[in-house]
Amino acid sequence: MNSLLPIWLPDESAYSYVAQCDARSPYQSWKQSNQCLFDKVGIRIHPMLTCHINKIADMANVDPMALLLRGTGYVMVGFGLEDKSKALILQQDLLLGKGTSLFSDARLAASRLSFGSWLKACPMCFEEDEIMHGVGYWHTVHQLHGVIACPKHGFRLARLKAGEGGLNHAYTLPIEAMFKCNEPAIGEELKLAGYLIALYNLLINKSPSIPLGDIYREWLDAKGYLTKCENLRWKRLKSDLTHCWQGIFNQLEPTLPLELSEFSFVPALVHQQRNVHYIKHVLLMAFLTRTPEQFFKGPLRETKPNQSIPPEFAVDIEEALMLLRAGISMRQVSKKLERSIGFIKQLALRNQITIGRRRQKITPDIERAIWRQALIGTHRAIIADHFGVSTGAVEQIIQSYSGLSQWRHQLLMTQHKQENRQRLLAFIRDEPDAVRNTIKQQCSAYMWLYKHDKEWLYLQLPARQAYAPRVGVNWANRDYAVLAQLMGLRAGYRSMSALDRELGGHGWLLRFHRKLPKSTAFARKLLRPKLNIDD
């Protein structure tokens, strides 16, 4: 059979190569093909995560790592694994053929997302492959989870069931019967597929070295989805994410699992480090940026005097400064570089580039005076009223001086700390017998100090109260007490509930009647006798 082995074609999946071998085999059974190719019979080859890479690479006469990277979805699944040791285990599973533990090691089973087992192909790619190579084959990028359409030709991918209820263990290549109805893809499907394929091609050559959580926070902050405390503005973010991907989920037969439409995974991606399915990363990355290269490059960040500018940001900064010095307006520079106008304005102010203002009221002397007032912590509104300018102009001057905003924040926090400390000490002095819970409930300074000055707070609070064990109920004494109350009542009550309400509504006769035998027996005598219907 070695003389019948085909050539590994460009972008061909490892599964497709095995299917080519089976098609050229003189045997008519997949069992015999498996025995000849893998020395085993009971083997099922997954379309995206194909095992036995070492043996397949040996048949194709190619490097096993090249086949692993370009013939399977390993790089994408590994991208979603935060624990890189898991990625190494997955790599060994694929190379050596440990298919039984493949999905558990890849954490795909733990993601609880069901994509099914499908073989996917583009009708136009199929025709081009037959013309160029004489055979249509399965492309690796088309088998990735989330690739719904072919961004090159704009058609939805035709699908063929590969797992249980489909081909099962058998092998097949694309056939013309699959492409009876070629549907054009919608914009969201093309955007997602194009981003996935671009990310796949990028990860083949290099892997990101910066933690994804840090990059997410930078982009979300740059786009206004993050507060100063690095909390998500979740309501707005979820609304925009839903609007961005609504075309994929608002279909009669959604092509992605509906669990993803809630986007509940986003906070964990931003603030935690965990192994997740790579499609979750891509849905957020493609929402924030147009290309994976732009995502990993990160937004243009403010640089401190002691901080070196990363090489990938220096080009954008130099280009922005060149355009500003050439007289290009800030709005045009912002649009060209896809940066905010606020950042372009701060960049111009830090480099002493004159920018056009609608009203030329702020002279250098006034700007210097505003800076002095800001340095001592005067409120922006007070400064604006004193000099007759807007608070926005004051804020612009504050932001143009590196470190001034952080200094003002530190002054403000110090002031709040002193005020809340004095308020707490005054409360403890006025209420010397107050316990910790009382101070927490009645003193407004408690929670602020708990968040920002916890160590000092615990030193001032009174000692914890000793735990007092709960004394159990003496049901025998209670039985006599309830019995005494019942003896003072007249007969004629309709139910035990009515009797219990008469005693105060404690529920003792209803819930604890077994623990109050004397009271319960006497209470039944006070009930109105039931009428006999026959009489």
Side-chain angles (χ1 to χ4, degrees):
M1 186 173 174
N2 291 335
S3 61
L4 302 176
L5 293 177
I7 300 173
W8 184 39
L9 300 173
D11 189 38
E12 184 179 16
S13 68
Y15 173 92
S16 179
Y17 183 82
V18 175
Q20 280 206 73
C21 293
D22 178 72
R24 298 190 181 195
S25 169
Y27 309 113
Q28 299 298 320
S29 169
W30 58 266
K31 294 183 179 180
Q32 292 175 326
S33 295
N34 281 344
Q35 183 65 40
C36 183
L37 295 173
F38 304 109
D39 300 326
K40 292 181 181 180
V41 174
I43 291 178
R44 178 184 293 168
I45 302 296
H46 193 271
M48 186 181 71
L49 289 177
T50 307
C51 293
H52 303 280
I53 293 298
N54 281 339
K55 290 190 176 182
I56 299 174
D58 185 53
M59 289 185 286
N61 194 23
V62 296
D63 180 53
M65 286 304 299
L67 182 62
L68 176 68
L69 296 177
R70 299 185 180 275
T72 70
Y74 163 73
V75 291
M76 297 299 292
V77 177
F79 176 69
L81 297 176
E82 192 68 31
D83 186 359
K84 296 311 174 186
S85 62
K86 288 288 185 182
L88 293 176
I89 295 174
L90 173 62
Q91 177 180 322
Q92 294 301 315
D93 290 348
L94 293 172
L95 290 172
L96 302 177
K98 297 179 181 178
T100 54
S101 60
L102 178 65
F103 269 64
S104 60
D105 291 339
R107 305 297 293 169
L108 292 181
S111 67
R112 299 179 183 177
L113 296 177
S114 178
F115 289 88
S117 183
W118 298 92
L119 288 162
K120 297 176 287 184
C122 168
M124 300 301 296
C125 291
F126 175 76
E127 293 181 5
E128 292 178 357
D129 294 338
E130 285 197 320
I131 295 172
M132 293 183 63
H133 306 288
V135 62
Y137 58 90
W138 306 106
H139 288 252
T140 304
V141 293
H142 291 163
Q143 313 314 316
L144 299 176
H145 291 164
V147 176
I148 309 162
C150 177
K152 180 180 178 181
H153 299 107
F155 285 102
R156 285 186 178 175
L157 300 179
R159 301 194 301 172
L160 187 65
K161 185 70 174 175
E164 296 289 346
L167 295 173
N168 204 354
H169 290 78
Y171 302 108
T172 185
L173 291 170
I175 54 177
E176 292 186 3
M178 291 177 56
F179 312 111
K180 293 182 179 179
C181 52
N182 299 331
E183 301 179 3
I186 62 176
E188 291 88 341
E189 293 173 340
L190 293 173
K191 176 181 178 181
L192 179 61
Y195 203 98
L196 278 163
I197 294 174
L199 178 61
Y200 167 80
N201 292 325
L202 178 66
L203 293 175
I204 287 177
N205 300 316
K206 61 179 181 179
S207 58
S209 57
I210 305 175
L212 290 177
D214 295 344
I215 307 178
Y216 282 136
R217 286 189 289 274
E218 290 175 7
W219 275 111
L220 292 168
D221 187 27
K223 292 181 176 290
Y225 293 111
L226 213 61
T227 66
K228 290 183 179 180
C229 298
E230 294 192 347
N231 294 322
L232 287 175
R233 292 187 170 96
W234 177 236
K235 186 175 182 180
R236 176 187 165 195
L237 177 58
K238 182 179 180 181
S239 175
D240 292 348
L241 279 168
T242 303
H243 178 73
C244 177
W245 300 114
Q246 62 182 350
I248 293 179
F249 297 106
N250 293 347
Q251 301 184 39
L252 293 177
E253 295 183 4
T255 47
L256 289 182
L258 285 177
E259 300 95 310
L260 298 171
S261 62
E262 294 297 324
F263 301 101
S264 56
F265 55 87
V266 171
L269 294 182
V270 177
H271 295 298
Q272 300 177 16
Q273 295 183 354
R274 59 171 63 178
N275 300 323
V276 298
H277 196 290
Y278 66 85
I279 192 66
K280 297 180 179 180
H281 283 292
V282 175
L283 286 173
L284 182 56
M285 292 165 62
F287 165 74
L288 294 171
T289 56
R290 293 181 300 174
T291 62
E293 292 84 354
Q294 183 185 8
F295 173 79
F296 291 117
K297 184 178 180 180
L300 194 59
R301 297 186 292 265
E302 176 184 353
T303 56
K304 299 178 181 179
N306 302 341
Q307 183 180 3
S308 60
I309 300 174
E312 58 269 24
F313 300 144
V315 177
D316 288 343
I317 293 177
E318 292 299 327
E319 185 178 357
L321 294 175
M322 181 183 66
L323 294 174
L324 289 170
R325 291 191 179 104
I328 308 298
S329 68
M330 291 188 299
R331 189 169 297 279
Q332 291 175 335
V333 175
S334 172
K335 185 176 181 181
K336 180 171 182 170
L337 299 180
E338 297 183 353
R339 311 300 181 191
S340 66
I341 294 180
F343 180 83
I344 299 299
K345 184 183 292 186
Q346 293 180 25
L347 190 62
L349 291 170
R350 286 195 177 89
N351 290 272
Q352 290 77 45
I353 299 176
T354 305
I355 58 175
R357 292 191 177 97
R358 295 179 181 176
R359 306 174 74 178
Q360 300 291 340
K361 284 188 175 181
I362 303 179
T363 64
D365 293 336
I366 294 178
E367 183 176 342
R368 192 178 301 109
I370 291 175
W371 175 83
R372 289 173 178 170
Q373 291 294 321
L375 185 63
I376 63 176
T378 308
H379 197 278
R380 290 171 299 177
I382 298 175
I383 299 175
D385 291 340
H386 179 74
F387 291 99
V389 295
S390 66
T391 55
V394 175
E395 181 62 26
Q396 176 181 323
I397 294 172
I398 292 173
Q399 295 296 330
S400 65
Y401 290 90
S402 178
L404 181 56
S405 180
Q406 290 80 359
W407 168 252
R408 286 172 56 81
H409 177 73
Q410 183 179 350
L411 288 178
L412 184 63
M413 291 298 292
T414 303
Q415 180 182 352
H416 286 338
K417 184 184 294 185
Q418 292 299 325
E419 292 175 354
N420 285 284
R421 282 184 175 184
Q422 293 175 6
R423 192 178 300 119
L424 180 78
L425 293 174
F427 183 87
I428 295 176
R429 185 174 58 251
D430 296 339
E431 302 289 341
D433 298 330
V435 297
R436 292 192 174 196
N437 278 341
T438 304
I439 298 174
K440 178 180 178 180
Q441 295 169 3
Q442 298 183 10
C443 182
S444 59
Y446 181 94
M447 289 309 300
W448 193 96
L449 292 170
Y450 179 81
K451 293 178 181 178
H452 304 285
D453 199 9
K454 184 187 293 187
E455 185 176 353
W456 181 89
L457 171 65
Y458 283 171
L459 291 176
Q460 311 306 318
L461 293 176
R464 295 179 180 273
Q465 288 184 317
Y467 173 74
R470 185 176 177 180
V471 181
V473 178
N474 190 329
W475 290 103
N477 292 342
R478 179 168 291 183
D479 193 11
Y480 283 111
V482 175
L483 179 62
Q485 288 182 279
L486 292 172
M487 288 181 176
L489 301 178
R490 294 183 179 180
Y493 289 91
R494 292 179 177 272
S495 64
M496 295 290 282
S497 299
L499 262 174
D500 187 78
R501 286 194 295 271
E502 189 68 27
L503 296 177
H506 304 295
W508 293 337
L509 294 176
L510 303 176
R511 292 180 294 169
F512 306 109
H513 57 88
R514 290 188 178 88
K515 297 183 179 182
L516 304 172
K518 296 182 175 61
S519 301
T520 303
F522 188 83
R524 290 196 178 99
K525 298 178 182 179
L526 299 178
L527 296 179
R528 182 184 302 176
K530 296 181 180 180
L531 296 177
N532 191 342
I533 299 178
D534 295 336
D535 296 340

